[in-house]
Amino acid sequence: RIHRLSFSYGKMADFFVDPTIMMKKSDCVPLGYFSKARGLQGEIKAVMDVFDIQEYRRVKTFYIARKEEALREIQVQSFKIQSQKLAVFKIEGIQNREGAEALQGYTIYFPEAELPALGEGHFYYFETIGYQIEDEQLGSLGTVKDFMDGAAQDILQMSYQGKEVLIPMTRD
């Protein structure tokens, strides 16, 4: 059974999938994306949108896709943390810069069922999308639509009376 992305001569080769074991996007959450190649040995930088990047340093299998494509499994040879939001991946089968460049723009996915457990009172943002926001005095205000990265803090996007409202997130 071949079910991982393979590369040759720096270009993506055919991808063979056993559909009985194929991971679906609905079972995963996006963790970030591949931004650009690094060096000549096939490493690629990734921008990671995670709370604690350290929790992913030992993960050997991730999934990748562009837009509406099906997920493809990748095997990680090394994962070097550069900052809280940046990591450098070395992926099995990627031997040169051209191979790494072929991955630019791919979104990196991880199975939701394998996400690190959070402490009591903590949650992943994606778990709240679709929730109603309630105010103690005003009642229902709207629905959580998404979250954005802000310069100083994350920002919650909500729909309020047919309009988009942005709310800065704080720890309180």
Side-chain angles (χ1 to χ4, degrees):
R1 292 183 184 188
I2 300 172
H3 60 279
R4 76 174 60 108
L5 192 59
S6 60
F7 296 85
S8 63
Y9 306 108
K11 303 281 185 200
M12 275 198 269
D14 291 331
F15 180 63
F16 302 96
V17 177
D18 178 344
T20 63
I21 58 170
M22 189 170 162
M23 183 67 66
K24 296 181 178 94
K25 282 185 184 176
S26 60
D27 297 327
C28 294
V29 294
L31 296 184
Y33 63 92
F34 289 127
S35 60
K36 65 181 184 175
R38 177 180 178 262
L40 301 174
Q41 304 303 313
E43 291 182 320
I44 186 160
K45 287 186 179 185
V47 177
M48 304 292 285
D49 187 16
V50 296
F51 181 73
D52 184 1
I53 199 168
Q54 293 286 338
E55 298 201 355
Y56 299 92
R57 72 184 184 281
R58 290 193 174 94
V59 172
K60 294 299 178 192
T61 302
F62 289 92
Y63 298 86
I64 62 171
R66 284 192 178 154
K67 298 188 183 178
E68 300 304 317
E69 292 179 351
L71 292 178
R72 300 173 183 193
E73 181 181 308
I74 59 171
Q75 296 297 312
V76 177
Q77 289 179 341
S78 70
F79 182 90
K80 300 174 195 166
I81 297 170
Q82 291 195 316
S83 71
Q84 179 53 35
K85 298 288 184 187
L86 294 174
V88 175
F89 282 71
K90 176 69 174 128
I91 298 168
E92 186 177 301
I94 305 292
Q95 303 302 322
N96 55 38
R97 184 173 187 85
E98 292 78 25
E101 286 172 345
L103 292 175
Q104 288 177 195
Y106 273 81
T107 300
I108 303 163
Y109 292 88
F110 192 70
E112 183 178 336
E114 296 177 32
L115 286 171
L118 299 177
E120 188 173 328
H122 296 271
F123 57 88
Y124 288 104
Y125 285 166
F126 74 87
E127 294 174 313
T128 66
I129 294 175
Y131 278 26
Q132 290 293 312
I133 297 175
E134 301 279 332
D135 180 82
E136 290 179 1
Q137 280 92 31
L138 301 174
S140 181
L141 295 180
T143 305
V144 176
K145 293 295 182 191
D146 205 354
F147 291 86
M148 302 178 348
D149 289 330
Q153 71 268 334
D154 293 336
I155 299 169
L156 178 144
Q157 293 175 291
M158 71 174 259
S159 176
Y160 175 68
Q161 297 181 349
K163 297 179 184 172
E164 180 182 73
V165 175
L166 305 177
I167 302 172
M169 299 291 293
T170 62
R171 296 246 181 235
D172 298 334

